[in-house]
Amino acid sequence: QTCALPISTAAPPPPSLLTDSIIDAVTLNAYTPLGPGSIITISGDNFAESTATAAKGSLPAQLQTARVVMASNAVEISLPLFSVAPRQIQALVPPTAAPGSYSLWIVRGESPSNRVPVTIAPYAPGIFTANNSGRGLGVFFKDDGSVVSASDRKSTRLNSSH
């Protein structure tokens, strides 16, 4: 006797973004222009099946089946990814991104999300903070990669030309 079982191959729901879901991951500010080289955090739904992080030393354009795409009238760019999770992605705005207005969206497999407008400014500096809140004491690094601490205080002399 043969038994037939139905198999469902329904695709996962498409990813979705909110207008205010893209923030500068360093300053934690939303609604501000980003700059070339900015690290961004994108929040929404259905981005990935589970959490994945880029291997040390590489930032791929796709993790699992998730990609972040940014496009203007002239160019379409896949952003390098730090990590993906079902409700959050961390990505890098390429240092070569030209200033201007773009649309940004997530693609999971073949399913695109809605598009959200973002602005890339010529520059948008930010400082990592010690408490990861975007406010308070900054975190600074020495040339050797170690963190500057209060015990590292040295006399600083400003040079000026008259």
Side-chain angles (χ1 to χ4, degrees):
Q1 199 169 13
T2 308
C3 179
L5 297 173
I7 297 175
S8 174
T9 58
S16 64
L17 295 168
L18 300 173
T19 302
D20 61 351
S21 64
I22 301 167
I23 65 169
D24 182 311
V26 175
T27 64
L28 304 179
N29 290 326
Y31 304 113
T32 59
L34 303 167
S38 290
I39 299 170
I40 60 174
T41 297
I42 306 163
S43 300
D45 288 312
N46 306 315
F47 292 163
E49 188 174 316
S50 61
T51 300
T53 304
K56 186 175 181 175
S58 72
L59 293 178
Q62 181 173 317
L63 280 171
Q64 294 183 358
T65 62
R67 294 184 300 126
V68 177
V69 181
M70 189 173 78
S72 68
N73 291 335
V75 66
E76 184 173 299
I77 307 165
S78 289
L79 274 57
L81 303 178
F82 290 100
S83 64
V84 299
R87 302 192 72 205
Q88 187 176 80
I89 292 177
Q90 287 201 315
L92 177 71
V93 175
T96 56
S101 297
Y102 292 82
S103 291
L104 185 141
W105 66 96
I106 308 299
V107 178
R108 180 179 178 188
E110 298 299 318
S111 299
S113 71
N114 55 306
R115 294 176 182 225
V116 174
V118 294
T119 301
I120 304 299
Y123 55 89
I127 297 174
F128 285 102
T129 57
N131 63 8
N132 293 320
S133 72
R135 308 246 184 288
L137 297 175
V139 176
F140 301 92
F141 296 91
K142 300 177 193 174
D143 289 340
D144 66 4
S146 63
V147 176
V148 173
S149 69
S151 64
D152 291 327
R153 292 184 186 186
K154 295 180 181 175
S155 61
T156 303
R157 193 176 276 171
L158 297 177
N159 293 327
S160 62
S161 27
H162 296 345

